[in-house]
Amino acid sequence: MPLLGLLSGCAGEMSILDPAGPSASAQFWVWWAMFGFSMVVALVLFALWLYTFRRREQPKRTPREEQRIMLRWVIGGGILLPLASIVALLVLAAPTGRSMIPLPLPEGEAELIEVVGHQWWWEIRYPGENGEPDVVTANRLVMPAGEPVDFRLVSADVIHAFWIPRLGGKRDMVPGRHSVLRLEADVPGVFGAQCAEYCGAQHTNMLLHVEAMEREDYEAWLAERRAPRELQQGADEAQEAFGEHCAACHTVEGFPQELINDDMAHDIPGPDLTDIGSRPTLGAGVLPMEEGAIAYWLEHHQTLKPGNRMPPHNHIDTETLQDIGAWLETMEP
Amino acid sequence: MSDTKDATLTPEVRRLQQGMDEVWGNPKGLRALTVVNHTTVGLRFMVTGAVFFLIGGLLAMLIRTQLAFPDNDFMSPEIYNQVFTMHGTVMMFLFAIPILEGLAIYMIPKMIGARDLVCPRLTAFGYYCYLFGGIILFSSLLLEMAPASGWFMYTPLSSGEYSPGPGSDFWLLGITFVEISALSAGVELVVSILRTRTQGMALHKMPLFAWYILAMAVMIVVGFPPLILGSILLELERAAGMPFFEVAGGGDPVLWAHLFWLFGHPEVYIIFLPGAGIVSTLIPVFAGRPIVGYGWVVAAIIIMGFVSFGLWVHHMFTLGIPQLALAFFSAASMLVAIPTAIQIFAWLSTLWLGRPRMTLPMLWIIGFLIIFVLGGLTGVMLALVPFNWQVHDTHFVVAHMHYVLVGGMLFPLMAGLYYWLPQVSGRMPSERLGKWSFWLIFIGFNVTFLVMHWTGLLGMRRRVFTYDTAMGWDIYNLISSVGGFMMSAGVALLILDIALHFRFGRKAPQNPWGADTLEWAMPKPPTAYNFVSLPTVETRHPLWEKPDLSRTIYEGRHGLAHIDHGRRETWGSDALTGKLRETIHLPSNSWWPLFAALAIAAVCISLLVRVYWVGAVATLVAVVLLLRWSWENGAHPGKAPEASMAPSDPPLHYHTMNGPGVWCMSVSHLANGSLYLSLLFGWFYLWTVAPEWQMPDSSPLSMPMLVMGGAALTLGTFWLAKLVRRLRRGNDAGLGGGMYLAGGLGVLQSVLLMAVIWQAQLAPTETAHDATLLVALLYVLIHALLGATLCLLQGLRVGYGYVSAKVPMEPVVVLRFWYFHLVVYWSLFLAIWVLPTVLGGAS
C-alpha cells in the first residue's frame, strides 16, 4: 500500500506531497488532517455496518425504543457528524486559501510576472518598469524566492491552467480575461510546472521549468536580458534561412527586419527565441537542451510532439536546419 | 410459465388471462419493432446499456494499457484523446443514464401496481432515440473522427477553430439525440408515478424506490435542458459561425462551462439516486424489517434533489469565479453530505434493528457502502476550495469520481441485477460464480482507483497520454492497470454467470427473497400486462401483509379484471391520496415511434455531413410524423375502439379533463421552462459578464410589431380559455370554429414575429448579442407556429368527432401549451426589449 509510505517520501518534482512554498505546505497539512479524520469515520462506519451481520441475539424492542435508536443514528450520524465536520473544515481549512489570493501586502508590492498559455507552450513576460523593456521568454519561468509573486494568467487560445504543484494551487487561463494567482517559493530551487486543464492534442507536453532564485540573482538575470544586444556576426546563412522560414512567427530581439519573409506570416505566434540557448528544455519539456538538440527538434518535431502548431520542415534540407539550430544555440543573453 | 398453480383456475379466469395475452401480447417478427410495452422496452434499454458499458469498459482498458508504462506509444496522442473522451461520454450518456432509465421503465409500473407506463409510445420512441443517437455517436470512433475535447467539451477547445473536424459535431448532435430519450423517459416516469399508482397507494405508502425514481425523473426533466441549449448554441457556433462562446464576438467560453455543469452536476445525482433507491429497496428485504426512518429518507431524497442544482460551480473552482461565489458553492457542496449521511445512517439503523442475511445481492450492497463512503469523503475534501485548487484535474479527481459513480451506481446496479434476476427470468442466479465475480470486481476496483488517489497527489494530471519515468509514477500506474484488468475479468465472469443462469439456474420460488413489493406478485417471467387484476394497496409492504396477494391477483379477484372491450387499461389515481380517478386507456403497438425516431436520425446525420437542405426536409418529415402520431389520440378509432361505449367505472380518461395527457404537458413544460430559463441565463450572463459584449444603443427590434404579436397571442389564449371553460360545462357548440379562430390568431402572431426578425436585420455571425437575440426570437416563433398548428388540428379533429364535450381532454392540453407560451413571450419581451431599452446600450 502506497499510503503507508512516508508522509512526503516521494520527491517527484510535481508532487503535492513535497511542498516548497507556504501555500503548498498548508494544503499538505490540510490533506493529511482530512485524510486521518476521514479514515477514522470510514473505518468506524464499516465496522458498525459489518457488525450488524455478526450479531446473533437481538433484544425485543418496542416501536418506541426502535424509534429512539433510529433517531440517535440518523440525527447523530446523519446530521451532527457531517455538520460538525463541515464547520470545522470551513473554519480551520478554508482560510488557508487566502495566501493564493492577491491581497495587498503589508508593505511593498508583490513581483508581477505574466504567464500566457499557448497551445502547447508557455510565454513568460516580465513587465518593465520606468520605461524598461519587457523581458519575454518561453517555457522557462524564473522567479524570486522567499517573497510572494503574483502571476497574471492569460490565454492566447483555449483554456489552460497554470500549476506549480510544489508551490500551490492551480488557476485556469481563460481567453478574454485574466486572473492573478499568488505563489511563493521558500528557498531557491527548481520546480516542475504543467498545464492542468486539458487543452488539446499535446496537453501532455505542456510543461514549464520553474527556477526560484535569490532576489539579486533574479535581478541580475532580468538585467542581462534587458541589456541591449547585438546579434552574433558571421552566421549570415543561418540568419537568412531563419528570416526565410522562421522569423514570421518567432521573434528574436534585434533580428534585422529586412530579412523577415512576410509572405509566410502566420496567425499563430511561436515562442520568442531571443534567449533560447539558455533554456533547459525544448518543445515545452519534450527534449533536454544539449548540443545539436535544436537541429534535431527542427527536423523531427512532428514526431517528437505530434500535432504541435509548427509546420513540418520537410521542404527544408537537413543542412539548413542544422545551420539554424547551431545559430539558435548561441542565442544567450 | 408461472409457478402459481394453474390447475385450480376456473374457465372464466383462463379466458380472462387468454384475452389479456391477446390484447397485451407482443407481436413477433418485424412487428416486434412496434412494441411499446414497458417490460420489453425496459429490457431493451438495459441490454443496450450493458453493451455500451462493455464498449466503455474496453475503452477504459485501452487507457490503462497506454498508461501502464511510462513513455508508452501503444496509442498515438490523437487516438488516446478520442479514447478518453469517448470513455467518459459513453459511460455517462450511453450507459449510466439509459440503463437506470431502463430499470425504472421496467420496474416502476410493476412496483406501483400498474400495467404499463402512461405514454407507452413515448417509451418506445425514447428507446429508438437512444439507440440511434448512441450508434451515431459510437460510429465516430470507428471512423476515427471521434470527439477529442474531453467529455465536458470545454469551449473554445471544442469550437470550430480548435476542433475543425466533425468530432465535436458527433458529440453535440448524438448527445442531444440521446437526451431527447432521457427527457421523454423522465416526463413519463414522473406522470406514471404520480398518476397511475394502484388504488389506495397514497404518496406516503409508495415504495421508496418510486420516490428515488420520481426525484431522478424530475431532475432529468429540469437538469438536461441546459445542456441541450448549450449543445444547440455550440453547434450553431460551429456550423453557422454565431459567436456565443467566442470572446471577440462578444461571447464567453465560461458560459459553456456554466451550461454544461448546470446539467453535469445534477447528473451525478441523477445517476446516484436510482442506485440509492436499489439500496433502500434491498436493505429492508434482507434485514427482514421495514426501512427505519422512511420519512427521513424521503426528506433526504427531496433535499438532495434541490441542493444538487446549487453545486455546479464546484467543478469550476479554478476557473476564476468571484470569491463570494466560491464560498457559497463550497459550503453548499459540503452540505450535500448531510442528506447523503441521513440515508447511510437510516440504512445502518435498519440493519441494526433487523436481522440481516448475507446474500449475493447484499454482498454488492456492502461493496457499495465501502466504495461510496470513501468517494463521499474525498468529495467533501474536494469541496474545500484551496485543496481543490491543488488536486483539481489530477488523477485524485479521477479516483474520486470513479469511487462516487462506480460505488454509487454500478455496485447498487449489480446488487439490483442479482436481486431482480429471478423476477425477470424465473431462475435463481448461482452463488459461487457470482461471489467470484464480486470479489474480482471489488478488489480490482480498489486496486485501480485507491492507488490513483496517490498518483494524483504525486502530481499526475488527468488526460495525459503518457508520463516521464522521472516523475516516480511508474509503479502506481502499473498497479492501477493491473487492477483494471482484474476488474475486467470480474465483469467477464459476471456476464458468464448471468448467461449460464438462464439455462442452469434453478427455478425461483414465487417470492425468493421474501420481498414486500408488488413486482414479486406476478408470474415470472412477467406477463406483458403485469397484473391480471389490479390490487388495492393500503400499506407500504403489501406482500408482507398479504402473502397470498400474488395468487388472488392472478385469479383476477381484484380491479379492472375485464378484457372483452379489447382495450389496454390501467388505473389512473389521485397524485396524493391514490384514490381512483379514471381508467386510463393505453395505446397499443405502433410504428410511429420508430418512424419519428428514424426521421430525427436523418436530421442528425444530415447536419453531421452538413447537407442542410436534407436536414430541413427531414425536420419537416419528423414534425409531420410526430403530429400524425398525436392524431391517434382521443376518440380516434385507431386509439379507442368504442370510445363512446358503455361508461366504465371509474370513467375512461379521455372523458375527463385532467387526464395524464394534461399532466404530461405540464411536466414537459417543466423541461421546456428549464430550457427557456437557460436561454435567459445565457442572455443575461453574456450581457453582464462577457468581456467584449456589444449592446446597440437602441434595440433593433420593432416594438409595435412585438406588442401586436403579443396581443394576438394574449387574445388567442383568453379565447382558448373561454372555449375550455364552456367545454367544462359540457357545451361544445362552435368548438371547431373557435379552434380555427385561435389557430388564426396563432398564425397572425407567427407572421408578426417573422416580420420582426426580417425587419431587425440582425447580424448573428458578427455579435453574440444579435446571435442570442435571433435564437430567442426563433424559440418563440417555433412556439407560435406549433401553437397555431395544434389549434388548427383541433379544429379538424372536432370535425371528425375525435374531440367533443364527451372527449374534452385535448383542448385542455393545447390551452396549457398556450399559457406557457404566453408567459415565455411577455417575459422575453421584458428581457430582450424593455430592459435593454430602459437600461440603455450605454455600456
Side-chain angles (χ1 to χ4, degrees), chain A residues 145-178:
Chain A
E147 61 178 283
V149 177
D150 284 353
F151 294 98
R152 188 173 182 277
L153 308 172
V154 288
S155 165
D157 36 49
V158 302
I159 302 178
H160 302 277
F162 172 75
W163 187 32
I164 312 176
R166 293 185 59 203
L167 297 192
K170 62 184 69 67
R171 192 64 53 84
D172 290 5
M173 315 168 102
V174 185
R177 40 183 93 180
H178 74 268

mmCIF file of all heavy atoms in Angstrom, chain A residues 145-178:
data_model
loop_
_atom_site.group_PDB
_atom_site.id
_atom_site.type_symbol
_atom_site.label_atom_id
_atom_site.label_comp_id
_atom_site.label_asym_id
_atom_site.label_seq_id
_atom_site.Cartn_x
_atom_site.Cartn_y
_atom_site.Cartn_z
ATOM 1 N N ALA A 145 12.854 33.962 -4.965
ATOM 2 C CA ALA A 145 12.438 33.079 -3.873
ATOM 3 C C ALA A 145 12.248 33.895 -2.601
ATOM 4 O O ALA A 145 12.757 35.018 -2.479
ATOM 5 C CB ALA A 145 13.484 31.997 -3.651
ATOM 6 N N GLY A 146 11.491 33.323 -1.660
ATOM 7 C CA GLY A 146 11.339 33.935 -0.349
ATOM 8 C C GLY A 146 10.457 35.171 -0.324
ATOM 9 O O GLY A 146 10.479 35.930 0.634
ATOM 10 N N GLU A 147 9.706 35.401 -1.365
ATOM 11 C CA GLU A 147 8.778 36.535 -1.370
ATOM 12 C C GLU A 147 7.587 36.173 -2.254
ATOM 13 O O GLU A 147 7.707 35.350 -3.161
ATOM 14 C CB GLU A 147 9.465 37.778 -1.926
ATOM 15 C CG GLU A 147 9.950 37.606 -3.358
ATOM 16 C CD GLU A 147 10.593 38.876 -3.896
ATOM 17 O OE1 GLU A 147 9.838 39.795 -4.250
ATOM 18 O OE2 GLU A 147 11.833 38.938 -3.969
ATOM 19 N N PRO A 148 6.422 36.771 -1.983
ATOM 20 C CA PRO A 148 5.253 36.426 -2.805
ATOM 21 C C PRO A 148 5.400 36.962 -4.231
ATOM 22 O O PRO A 148 5.923 38.065 -4.423
ATOM 23 C CB PRO A 148 4.090 37.113 -2.079
ATOM 24 C CG PRO A 148 4.714 38.124 -1.181
ATOM 25 C CD PRO A 148 6.099 37.671 -0.869
ATOM 26 N N VAL A 149 4.964 36.160 -5.173
ATOM 27 C CA VAL A 149 4.996 36.561 -6.577
ATOM 28 C C VAL A 149 3.580 36.447 -7.121
ATOM 29 O O VAL A 149 2.906 35.442 -6.901
ATOM 30 C CB VAL A 149 5.931 35.640 -7.388
ATOM 31 C CG1 VAL A 149 5.903 36.024 -8.858
ATOM 32 C CG2 VAL A 149 7.349 35.699 -6.838
ATOM 33 N N ASP A 150 3.121 37.494 -7.802
ATOM 34 C CA ASP A 150 1.790 37.449 -8.430
ATOM 35 C C ASP A 150 1.945 37.026 -9.880
ATOM 36 O O ASP A 150 2.661 37.672 -10.644
ATOM 37 C CB ASP A 150 1.120 38.823 -8.354
ATOM 38 C CG ASP A 150 0.592 39.103 -6.962
ATOM 39 O OD1 ASP A 150 0.634 38.177 -6.116
ATOM 40 O OD2 ASP A 150 0.142 40.233 -6.710
ATOM 41 N N PHE A 151 1.249 35.971 -10.242
ATOM 42 C CA PHE A 151 1.264 35.530 -11.637
ATOM 43 C C PHE A 151 -0.013 36.007 -12.296
ATOM 44 O O PHE A 151 -1.109 35.665 -11.863
ATOM 45 C CB PHE A 151 1.388 34.014 -11.714
ATOM 46 C CG PHE A 151 2.704 33.507 -11.214
ATOM 47 C CD1 PHE A 151 2.844 33.010 -9.926
ATOM 48 C CD2 PHE A 151 3.819 33.567 -12.030
ATOM 49 C CE1 PHE A 151 4.069 32.564 -9.461
ATOM 50 C CE2 PHE A 151 5.060 33.126 -11.569
ATOM 51 C CZ PHE A 151 5.181 32.619 -10.285
ATOM 52 N N ARG A 152 0.159 36.793 -13.322
ATOM 53 C CA ARG A 152 -1.011 37.266 -14.077
ATOM 54 C C ARG A 152 -1.197 36.300 -15.233
ATOM 55 O O ARG A 152 -0.315 36.153 -16.084
ATOM 56 C CB ARG A 152 -0.740 38.680 -14.592
ATOM 57 C CG ARG A 152 -1.933 39.343 -15.224
ATOM 58 C CD ARG A 152 -1.599 40.810 -15.537
ATOM 59 N NE ARG A 152 -2.767 41.483 -16.098
ATOM 60 C CZ ARG A 152 -3.101 41.408 -17.380
ATOM 61 N NH1 ARG A 152 -2.373 40.713 -18.223
ATOM 62 N NH2 ARG A 152 -4.186 42.033 -17.816
ATOM 63 N N LEU A 153 -2.355 35.632 -15.233
ATOM 64 C CA LEU A 153 -2.539 34.497 -16.133
ATOM 65 C C LEU A 153 -3.511 34.838 -17.254
ATOM 66 O O LEU A 153 -4.630 35.271 -16.995
ATOM 67 C CB LEU A 153 -3.057 33.296 -15.342
ATOM 68 C CG LEU A 153 -2.214 32.949 -14.107
ATOM 69 C CD1 LEU A 153 -2.902 31.870 -13.281
ATOM 70 C CD2 LEU A 153 -0.826 32.487 -14.530
ATOM 71 N N VAL A 154 -3.075 34.655 -18.473
ATOM 72 C CA VAL A 154 -3.968 34.855 -19.615
ATOM 73 C C VAL A 154 -3.759 33.727 -20.617
ATOM 74 O O VAL A 154 -2.790 32.969 -20.520
ATOM 75 C CB VAL A 154 -3.719 36.217 -20.319
ATOM 76 C CG1 VAL A 154 -4.205 37.356 -19.481
ATOM 77 C CG2 VAL A 154 -2.260 36.379 -20.666
ATOM 78 N N SER A 155 -4.691 33.632 -21.537
ATOM 79 C CA SER A 155 -4.574 32.589 -22.551
ATOM 80 C C SER A 155 -4.601 33.217 -23.923
ATOM 81 O O SER A 155 -5.294 34.210 -24.149
ATOM 82 C CB SER A 155 -5.724 31.603 -22.433
ATOM 83 O OG SER A 155 -5.780 30.830 -23.611
ATOM 84 N N ALA A 156 -3.846 32.617 -24.847
ATOM 85 C CA ALA A 156 -3.840 33.120 -26.218
ATOM 86 C C ALA A 156 -4.832 32.357 -27.084
ATOM 87 O O ALA A 156 -5.162 32.792 -28.180
ATOM 88 C CB ALA A 156 -2.440 32.996 -26.809
ATOM 89 N N ASP A 157 -5.284 31.203 -26.618
ATOM 90 C CA ASP A 157 -6.196 30.433 -27.471
ATOM 91 C C ASP A 157 -7.291 29.739 -26.661
ATOM 92 O O ASP A 157 -8.354 30.277 -26.476
ATOM 93 C CB ASP A 157 -5.403 29.430 -28.329
ATOM 94 C CG ASP A 157 -4.207 28.832 -27.598
ATOM 95 O OD1 ASP A 157 -4.408 28.382 -26.462
ATOM 96 O OD2 ASP A 157 -3.102 28.808 -28.161
ATOM 97 N N VAL A 158 -7.033 28.519 -26.158
ATOM 98 C CA VAL A 158 -8.072 27.786 -25.440
ATOM 99 C C VAL A 158 -7.831 27.937 -23.931
ATOM 100 O O VAL A 158 -6.930 28.645 -23.507
ATOM 101 C CB VAL A 158 -8.077 26.299 -25.844
ATOM 102 C CG1 VAL A 158 -8.289 26.164 -27.333
ATOM 103 C CG2 VAL A 158 -6.798 25.614 -25.418
ATOM 104 N N ILE A 159 -8.640 27.247 -23.135
ATOM 105 C CA ILE A 159 -8.453 27.323 -21.686
ATOM 106 C C ILE A 159 -7.275 26.440 -21.282
ATOM 107 O O ILE A 159 -7.201 25.263 -21.655
ATOM 108 C CB ILE A 159 -9.727 26.868 -20.942
ATOM 109 C CG1 ILE A 159 -10.923 27.728 -21.362
ATOM 110 C CG2 ILE A 159 -9.517 26.956 -19.432
ATOM 111 C CD1 ILE A 159 -12.233 27.327 -20.721
ATOM 112 N N HIS A 160 -6.315 27.012 -20.569
ATOM 113 C CA HIS A 160 -5.218 26.261 -19.968
ATOM 114 C C HIS A 160 -5.300 26.449 -18.465
ATOM 115 O O HIS A 160 -6.124 27.220 -17.976
ATOM 116 C CB HIS A 160 -3.865 26.779 -20.465
ATOM 117 C CG HIS A 160 -3.691 26.737 -21.947
ATOM 118 N ND1 HIS A 160 -3.295 25.616 -22.627
ATOM 119 C CD2 HIS A 160 -3.886 27.690 -22.906
ATOM 120 C CE1 HIS A 160 -3.227 25.872 -23.921
ATOM 121 N NE2 HIS A 160 -3.584 27.120 -24.121
ATOM 122 N N ALA A 161 -4.443 25.750 -17.735
ATOM 123 C CA ALA A 161 -4.351 26.043 -16.306
ATOM 124 C C ALA A 161 -2.891 26.002 -15.898
ATOM 125 O O ALA A 161 -2.127 25.141 -16.332
ATOM 126 C CB ALA A 161 -5.154 25.034 -15.497
ATOM 127 N N PHE A 162 -2.545 26.976 -15.067
ATOM 128 C CA PHE A 162 -1.153 27.156 -14.654
ATOM 129 C C PHE A 162 -0.987 26.512 -13.290
ATOM 130 O O PHE A 162 -1.699 26.847 -12.352
ATOM 131 C CB PHE A 162 -0.876 28.663 -14.586
ATOM 132 C CG PHE A 162 0.442 29.041 -14.005
ATOM 133 C CD1 PHE A 162 1.618 28.882 -14.732
ATOM 134 C CD2 PHE A 162 0.522 29.582 -12.728
ATOM 135 C CE1 PHE A 162 2.836 29.254 -14.185
ATOM 136 C CE2 PHE A 162 1.736 29.956 -12.180
ATOM 137 C CZ PHE A 162 2.904 29.786 -12.922
ATOM 138 N N TRP A 163 -0.064 25.576 -13.193
ATOM 139 C CA TRP A 163 0.059 24.843 -11.934
ATOM 140 C C TRP A 163 1.514 24.497 -11.628
ATOM 141 O O TRP A 163 2.170 23.795 -12.388
ATOM 142 C CB TRP A 163 -0.780 23.546 -12.004
ATOM 143 C CG TRP A 163 -0.841 22.812 -10.695
ATOM 144 C CD1 TRP A 163 -0.816 23.345 -9.452
ATOM 145 C CD2 TRP A 163 -0.943 21.392 -10.510
ATOM 146 N NE1 TRP A 163 -0.912 22.365 -8.502
ATOM 147 C CE2 TRP A 163 -0.986 21.155 -9.121
ATOM 148 C CE3 TRP A 163 -1.016 20.307 -11.386
ATOM 149 C CZ2 TRP A 163 -1.087 19.874 -8.588
ATOM 150 C CZ3 TRP A 163 -1.125 19.035 -10.855
ATOM 151 C CH2 TRP A 163 -1.164 18.822 -9.465
ATOM 152 N N ILE A 164 2.008 24.991 -10.491
ATOM 153 C CA ILE A 164 3.317 24.578 -9.971
ATOM 154 C C ILE A 164 3.003 23.771 -8.709
ATOM 155 O O ILE A 164 2.867 24.343 -7.620
ATOM 156 C CB ILE A 164 4.201 25.786 -9.610
ATOM 157 C CG1 ILE A 164 4.197 26.815 -10.744
ATOM 158 C CG2 ILE A 164 5.626 25.324 -9.301
ATOM 159 C CD1 ILE A 164 4.977 28.083 -10.423
ATOM 160 N N PRO A 165 2.857 22.455 -8.823
ATOM 161 C CA PRO A 165 2.331 21.662 -7.698
ATOM 162 C C PRO A 165 3.065 21.887 -6.390
ATOM 163 O O PRO A 165 2.447 21.946 -5.333
ATOM 164 C CB PRO A 165 2.488 20.222 -8.175
ATOM 165 C CG PRO A 165 2.569 20.301 -9.657
ATOM 166 C CD PRO A 165 3.187 21.622 -9.978
ATOM 167 N N ARG A 166 4.387 22.051 -6.426
ATOM 168 C CA ARG A 166 5.129 22.141 -5.174
ATOM 169 C C ARG A 166 5.013 23.513 -4.526
ATOM 170 O O ARG A 166 5.425 23.699 -3.386
ATOM 171 C CB ARG A 166 6.595 21.762 -5.405
ATOM 172 C CG ARG A 166 6.736 20.268 -5.762
ATOM 173 C CD ARG A 166 8.167 19.854 -5.867
ATOM 174 N NE ARG A 166 8.879 20.081 -4.616
ATOM 175 C CZ ARG A 166 10.202 20.229 -4.523
ATOM 176 N NH1 ARG A 166 10.934 20.193 -5.617
ATOM 177 N NH2 ARG A 166 10.766 20.424 -3.353
ATOM 178 N N LEU A 167 4.455 24.486 -5.262
ATOM 179 C CA LEU A 167 4.292 25.807 -4.665
ATOM 180 C C LEU A 167 2.850 26.086 -4.256
ATOM 181 O O LEU A 167 2.607 26.885 -3.351
ATOM 182 C CB LEU A 167 4.761 26.889 -5.636
ATOM 183 C CG LEU A 167 6.243 26.849 -6.023
ATOM 184 C CD1 LEU A 167 6.614 28.131 -6.737
ATOM 185 C CD2 LEU A 167 7.129 26.651 -4.807
ATOM 186 N N GLY A 168 1.879 25.461 -4.920
ATOM 187 C CA GLY A 168 0.498 25.738 -4.531
ATOM 188 C C GLY A 168 -0.492 25.392 -5.619
ATOM 189 O O GLY A 168 -0.148 24.720 -6.601
ATOM 190 N N GLY A 169 -1.710 25.903 -5.441
ATOM 191 C CA GLY A 169 -2.831 25.516 -6.298
ATOM 192 C C GLY A 169 -2.720 26.038 -7.710
ATOM 193 O O GLY A 169 -1.822 26.812 -8.041
ATOM 194 N N LYS A 170 -3.634 25.600 -8.532
ATOM 195 C CA LYS A 170 -3.638 25.963 -9.944
ATOM 196 C C LYS A 170 -4.722 26.984 -10.228
ATOM 197 O O LYS A 170 -5.654 27.171 -9.428
ATOM 198 C CB LYS A 170 -3.859 24.718 -10.802
ATOM 199 C CG LYS A 170 -5.192 24.034 -10.543
ATOM 200 C CD LYS A 170 -5.338 22.756 -11.323
ATOM 201 C CE LYS A 170 -4.429 21.654 -10.875
ATOM 202 N NZ LYS A 170 -4.680 21.097 -9.536
ATOM 203 N N ARG A 171 -4.595 27.657 -11.349
ATOM 204 C CA ARG A 171 -5.643 28.586 -11.778
ATOM 205 C C ARG A 171 -5.766 28.490 -13.287
ATOM 206 O O ARG A 171 -4.775 28.352 -14.006
ATOM 207 C CB ARG A 171 -5.282 30.014 -11.366
ATOM 208 C CG ARG A 171 -6.394 31.021 -11.502
ATOM 209 C CD ARG A 171 -7.583 30.741 -10.595
ATOM 210 N NE ARG A 171 -7.220 30.568 -9.201
ATOM 211 C CZ ARG A 171 -7.055 31.582 -8.337
ATOM 212 N NH1 ARG A 171 -7.202 32.820 -8.732
ATOM 213 N NH2 ARG A 171 -6.751 31.338 -7.089
ATOM 214 N N ASP A 172 -7.024 28.556 -13.770
ATOM 215 C CA ASP A 172 -7.249 28.439 -15.210
ATOM 216 C C ASP A 172 -6.877 29.733 -15.925
ATOM 217 O O ASP A 172 -6.982 30.821 -15.360
ATOM 218 C CB ASP A 172 -8.712 28.116 -15.506
ATOM 219 C CG ASP A 172 -9.054 26.700 -15.078
ATOM 220 O OD1 ASP A 172 -8.182 26.041 -14.491
ATOM 221 O OD2 ASP A 172 -10.190 26.253 -15.305
ATOM 222 N N MET A 173 -6.468 29.569 -17.171
ATOM 223 C CA MET A 173 -6.170 30.718 -18.023
ATOM 224 C C MET A 173 -7.265 30.727 -19.070
ATOM 225 O O MET A 173 -7.340 29.838 -19.913
ATOM 226 C CB MET A 173 -4.809 30.531 -18.677
ATOM 227 C CG MET A 173 -3.761 30.044 -17.678
ATOM 228 S SD MET A 173 -2.249 29.497 -18.475
ATOM 229 C CE MET A 173 -1.231 30.907 -18.159
ATOM 230 N N VAL A 174 -8.138 31.737 -18.975
ATOM 231 C CA VAL A 174 -9.337 31.744 -19.806
ATOM 232 C C VAL A 174 -9.226 32.831 -20.852
ATOM 233 O O VAL A 174 -8.894 33.973 -20.517
ATOM 234 C CB VAL A 174 -10.577 31.986 -18.932
ATOM 235 C CG1 VAL A 174 -11.843 31.884 -19.761
ATOM 236 C CG2 VAL A 174 -10.612 31.017 -17.768
ATOM 237 N N PRO A 175 -9.495 32.498 -22.114
ATOM 238 C CA PRO A 175 -9.416 33.520 -23.152
ATOM 239 C C PRO A 175 -10.324 34.701 -22.821
ATOM 240 O O PRO A 175 -11.433 34.514 -22.331
ATOM 241 C CB PRO A 175 -9.906 32.812 -24.419
ATOM 242 C CG PRO A 175 -10.080 31.383 -24.083
ATOM 243 C CD PRO A 175 -9.885 31.194 -22.626
ATOM 244 N N GLY A 176 -9.827 35.898 -23.070
ATOM 245 C CA GLY A 176 -10.654 37.080 -22.878
ATOM 246 C C GLY A 176 -10.609 37.649 -21.481
ATOM 247 O O GLY A 176 -11.200 38.683 -21.226
ATOM 248 N N ARG A 177 -9.974 36.978 -20.531
ATOM 249 C CA ARG A 177 -9.876 37.571 -19.199
ATOM 250 C C ARG A 177 -8.541 37.202 -18.584
ATOM 251 O O ARG A 177 -7.795 36.398 -19.131
ATOM 252 C CB ARG A 177 -11.022 37.130 -18.311
ATOM 253 C CG ARG A 177 -11.402 35.679 -18.455
ATOM 254 C CD ARG A 177 -12.595 35.376 -17.581
ATOM 255 N NE ARG A 177 -13.838 35.527 -18.339
ATOM 256 C CZ ARG A 177 -15.021 35.331 -17.817
ATOM 257 N NH1 ARG A 177 -15.133 35.003 -16.558
ATOM 258 N NH2 ARG A 177 -16.105 35.465 -18.550
ATOM 259 N N HIS A 178 -8.265 37.809 -17.445
ATOM 260 C CA HIS A 178 -7.037 37.426 -16.765
ATOM 261 C C HIS A 178 -7.360 37.131 -15.313
ATOM 262 O O HIS A 178 -8.363 37.598 -14.774
ATOM 263 C CB HIS A 178 -6.001 38.538 -16.865
ATOM 264 C CG HIS A 178 -6.309 39.705 -15.972
ATOM 265 N ND1 HIS A 178 -7.026 40.782 -16.400
ATOM 266 C CD2 HIS A 178 -6.025 39.921 -14.668
ATOM 267 C CE1 HIS A 178 -7.160 41.631 -15.403
ATOM 268 N NE2 HIS A 178 -6.579 41.143 -14.332
#
